[in-house]
Amino acid sequence: MPAIKRNPKAPRQMPPEVAPEVRVQGAVEVAGGFTDDQARVESLRCLDCKDPKCVEACPLHIDIKSFILNLAQGDVEGAFNKISERSPFPGICGRVCQHELFCENACLLGKKLDPVAIGSLERFCSDHHRQFNGKAPVVKANPTGPKIAMVGSGPASLMASFVLAQRNYRVTVFEALHRLGGVLIYGVPPFRLPREILNTEIARLESMGVKFETDVIVGNSVSLEELFNEEGFEAVFLGTGAGLPFMLNVPGENLIGVYTANEYLTRINLMHANEFPSEDTPVNIGKCTVVIGGGNSAMDAARWSKRLGADTTILFRRGRAELRARAEEIEHAEQEGIKFEFLGAPVALYGDENGWLNEMECIRMKLGEPDSSGRPSPVPIEGSNYRIPVDTVIAAVGQAPNPTLQRTTPQLITNRGKIVVDVNRQTNMNNVFAGGDVVRGGSTVILAMSDGLAAADAIDKALKSQKEEAVGAQA
Amino acid sequence: MNKIVRKQQLTPETALFEVEAPRIAKRWKPGQFIIVRPNDSSERIPLTLVDGNKERGTITIVVQRIGKTSSVVVATPAEGAFHDVVGPLGEPAHITKVGRVTLLAGGVGVAEVLPVAKAFKEAGNYTVVLAGARTDSLRILREELIAVADEVIWATDDGSFGFSGNVVQLLLETVKSTGIKPDLSHVIGPIPMMRAAAKATMELGIKTYASVNPVMIDGTGMCGGCRVTVGGKVRFACVEGPEFDAHEVDFDELSRRTKAYRKQEVQAYESHKCTLGLQPA
Ligand SMILES: Cc1cc2nc3c(=O)[nH]c(=O)nc-3n(C[C@H](O)[C@H](O)[C@H](O)COP(=O)(O)OP(=O)(O)OC[C@H]3O[C@@H](n4cnc5c(N)ncnc54)[C@H](O)[C@@H]3O)c2cc1C
Ligand SMILES: Cc1cc2nc3c(=O)[nH]c(=O)nc-3n(C[C@H](O)[C@H](O)[C@H](O)COP(=O)(O)OP(=O)(O)OC[C@H]3O[C@@H](n4cnc5c(N)ncnc54)[C@H](O)[C@@H]3O)c2cc1C
Ligand code: SF4
Ligand code: SF4
Ligand code: FES
C-alpha cells in the first residue's frame, strides 16, 4: 500500500464547468467531473476522522470515510464498491443530492476550512466505473423470494427496490408514465442529470432482477387489492411522489402562456419539446418569461427557458437568502444570465382578446416575522403594485401529493393528501408502506431514498415475522 | 407495446381499433379514457374508451384524424401496435336512473357516447341518442348505436340523411314537436357543439353533463395543462373530469386554450403529410 500524504490545507477542488455562454445554447451537462488529479488532491484533504460525522449525516450512511480512503490510495474501483454497498446510484446522488445540507454540512474539515467535496468524489467514482462496467449489477441478487410491488419509479421506490432485490425478493416497479425515474426524468433537466446516467443506474436494478412495468397507474389500472389477491404480491411500497402542482390563485392563470413548472418541464424533459418538430410535443417559448418561485423547480424551468431563447426572470416573494434550490443551481442560473427579482409577487395576469398572456401585475413585498417554515414571512406593501409586459409565466410555487392512488383507494389514511405512516413507514393498510414525497410533501432526492431504504427494511422484517408466525401456528 | 387485434376503417378519416390491454379491459368504466403514444417520439393523446372486453383482454377506441398524432394512430396498420397505452383515466360518467336521458353526440363523439348510452339504458333509463355527422357517408357505428339505445335520431349538416342541421337544433326541434323534455342530457363532441348544447339545455332547464376535451399530457394530475374552469373553479379534467356540469363549464376559455399550439400543430401536420407523400393542404 503506497504511503498517503494527507493535505487538508489544499484548496477545495472545483469541478470544471462549461462556460455559461456555451451551455445556454443547448442541453450539455453544465458541471464536469473531477480529473484524476483533482480527485486525488481532494481525497487527500479528508482527515480520516475517528468519528466520521459525514457518514452519520448522509441519510444513506454511505461509508464516506472509507471510500475516500480508497480514492486516496488510488483504488477507484474499491471506492466505487464501497459506495455500492449502500447505494447503486452514486451518479445520480453525486449530481443532484443537496450534499451541502447533509454530508458536507457535517464534515469536520468544514468547521475550519472548506468541507471535503464529497458529492463530487462520489460522482467521480461513478463516472469512472460507468466507463468500464456501467450496467452490471453492483451487488449480486438472486430474486426468488416473495413478490413486492413498488408504486412509482422515483428515488424512493428505486432505493427500496435495490435493498429488497439484494435480499432476494422479487420486485416489480409500476410506473404511471412511459419512462422511469419520477422527478429525475420529468423534472430534473438533462443538463444537470444526463439521461445516460439515470438510465444506466436504473438498468443496474434490472440486472439484479427487478422488473419494471411502465404505463400502469396503480389505483386506476390495477387496485391494491388486486396486487395482493390476484397478482400474488405480499407487500406494497407507495412512492408516488408529490407531483400535483399548486396554482397561483390569481386572476388570469388560465391564459395561454401560463404554465406550471411541472407542465413546462414535462413537455421538455419527458416529451423533448426542445426538439420539436422532430419530436411531436410542442411548448410555447415567448420572448419574455417570468418564473415564479424559489426552489429547484423554479431554477430548472428558468434555465430551460433561457436555453430556449427567452429573456428570463425569477420572481421570488422573499429574499436571496430564502431561496430553496441547491446552492450550485442558483449560482449556475445567475451565471447563465437569468435575472432575479426578489421581494415581489404576482397579483393578476392579463391577456389579449385571444386569451394569450401579455401583461402581469405584481406587488412589492417586505420581510416580516418568521412563518411556519422558519423563514421571514413575505408581507405585501400596500399600494406598491406595478405592471410588466410578459408572454410566459411559469408557476413553480410548490406541489402536493399525486392524487391518483388516494382517489381510488379511499381506505388509505391521508393528511391533506399526504399518506400517513408510522415509524416503520407502514400505512394504515396491512403490508402497505409508503415514503418519499407522498409522505413528506416536497423534499429531496436523498430523503426520498432514505425512506425507501427504511421501508425496505421494515418490509423485510414484517414479512419475515409473519412467516415465523405462520410456521409457529402450524407447529 | 400494445398489440392491435382488429382495425376497422369507419370513414376515410376515422378508424376503430381493438387493442390488447388486459388491465384496462378489466377495470374501465363508461366515460373514462386512455392516453396513447402511437410511437416513441409521439405526443401523448387522450382517447375515449368505447368498449372493453375482460375475457379477451382488449379495449376499443375510435380515432379521428385531425392532426399529426391522430393521423399516426389512424394510419397504424391492423398488424401493428401502439408504443404506449395507459389508463383507464378520469372519473366514470355519472350514471343514474332518472327516466329519460337524451345524449347528444357529434363527429367522433358518436363513438365516445356508445358506452355511456349503454350504461344509462342498463341503469333503467329510456335513452335517446341524437347523433350528428357532416354528411350521410360519414355516419359511423349505426348498428352499434341502435343496439345500445332505445331511439337513435341522426342529423346531418347537409341534410343528406335524417334531420337537416346539427344535433342541438335537432334537440330543440324534438322537444318542440313532441312536447317531451328529457330528465337528463349528456353531450360529447366538438366544443362549439357542446357550448351550443349547454346553452340550449340551460334554457330548457335540462340538467346536462358535458365530456370536455382540453389538451392533456400526463393524464395523472401532475401537470395542470388540462385545467378547465367549472363554476368559477379551476379543475384538472384528467382526474376530476372529463365529465362536468355543462352549464358550469367555461367553454370560451376551453376553446381558446385548445388553440394554444395551433401554429406548431399546423407545422407538424404539414411536414408529416410531406413525409407521407400526401399533398400539403
Ligand atoms: C423540478 C424539480 C427539481 C428538483 N431538483 C432536486 C435536486 O436537485 N435535488 C434534490 O435533492 N431534490 C430535488 N427535487 C426534489 C426531488 O426530486 C423529490 O423530492 C424526489 O424526486 C421525490 O422522490 P419520490 O420517489 O418520493 O417521488 P417522485 O420522484 O415524485 O416519483 C413518483 C413517481 O410515481 C409515479 N406515480 C404517481 N402515482 C402513481 C400511481 N398511482 N401508479 C404508478 N405510478 C405513480 C409518478 O409518475 C412518478 O414517476 C426536485 C424536484 C423538482 C420537481
Ligand atoms: C378526454 C378526451 C377524450 C378524447 N377522446 C377522443 C376519441 O375517442 N377519439 C378521437 O378521435 N379524439 C378524442 N379526443 C381528442 C384527441 O385527443 C385529439 O384529437 C388529439 O389529441 C389530436 O392530436 P393531433 O396531434 O392529431 O392533433 P393536433 O394537430 O396536435 O391538435 C388538433 C387539436 O386537437 C387538440 N389536441 C391536441 N393535442 C392534444 C392533447 N395532447 N390532448 C388533448 N387534445 C389535444 C387540440 O384541441 C388541437 O387544437 C379526446 C380528447 C380528450 C381530452
Ligand atoms: S448521498 Fe448525498 S449525503 Fe450521502 S454521501 Fe452522497 S452526496 Fe453526501
Ligand atoms: S467528516 Fe470530512 S474529514 Fe472527516 S472523514 Fe468525513 S469527509 Fe473526511
Ligand atoms: S393532463 Fe396533466 S394534469 Fe391533467
Side-chain angles (χ1 to χ4, degrees), chain A residues 267 280 282, chain B residues 14 31 33-34 43-50 61-72 108-109 111-112 188 191 211-217 237 242 257-262 264-266 268-269:
Chain A
R267 283 183 177 272
D280 290 348
Chain B
T14 311
F33 64 98
I34 56 174
E43 260 192 280
R44 299 169 60 98
I45 65 164
L47 297 165
T48 305
L49 285 157
V50 172
I61 52 174
V62 174
V63 193
Q64 183 181 15
R65 184 172 87 195
I66 63 162
K68 173 158 182 195
T69 313
S70 52
S71 303
V72 172
V108 74
E112 300 174 57
I188 187 161
I191 293 170
S211 184
V212 300
N213 50 4
V215 173
M216 294 186 179
I217 306 162
R257 282 183 63 79
T258 56
K259 298 191 181 88
Y261 300 99
R262 180 61 83 223
Q264 293 98 322
E265 283 157 9
V266 171
Y269 197 25

Side-chain angles (χ1 to χ4, degrees), chain A residues 174-179 186 213-217 219-223 226-227 230-231 243-245 247 253-260 262-263 266-267 270-271 276-285 352-356 402-404 407-408, chain B residues 1-2 23-24 26-27 32 37 39-44 68-69 72 83-91 215-229 234 236 239-241 253 256-261 263-265 267-268 271:
Chain A
F174 296 101
E175 168 55 50
L177 296 173
H178 59 272
R179 292 265 154 77
Y186 78 73
E213 269 198 57
T214 50
D215 297 322
V216 177
I217 307 179
N220 291 47
S221 317
V222 59
S223 69
E226 287 168 333
L227 287 179
E230 294 172 26
E231 304 202 14
L244 178 72
M247 301 302 302
E253 68 182 359
N254 286 355
L255 289 164
I256 302 169
V258 184
Y259 286 105
T260 66
N262 270 8
E263 178 179 356
T266 300
R267 283 183 177 272
L270 182 73
M271 306 307 297
F276 181 88
S278 67
E279 296 280 330
D280 290 348
T281 304
V283 65
N284 285 322
I285 305 298
D352 66 15
E353 64 285 0
N354 296 319
W356 286 73
N402 281 40
T404 46
R407 282 178 84 88
T408 47
Chain B
M1 285 288 200
N2 296 67
R23 290 190 193 277
I24 305 173
K26 193 169 156 201
R27 294 185 57 87
Q32 289 187 301
R37 255 172 26 110
N39 60 46
D40 201 22
S41 63
S42 296
E43 260 192 280
R44 299 169 60 98
K68 173 158 182 195
T69 313
V72 172
H83 200 280
D84 295 276
V85 171
V86 61
L89 301 165
E91 289 288 329
V215 173
M216 294 186 179
I217 306 162
D218 58 300
T220 67
M222 183 268 273
C223 77
C226 63
R227 59 196 189 273
V228 284
T229 302
V234 175
F236 288 9
V239 286
E240 301 174 272
E253 179 188 273
R256 286 194 298 266
R257 282 183 63 79
T258 56
K259 298 191 181 88
Y261 300 99
K263 213 176 68 207
Q264 293 98 322
E265 283 157 9
Q267 188 189 351
S271 61

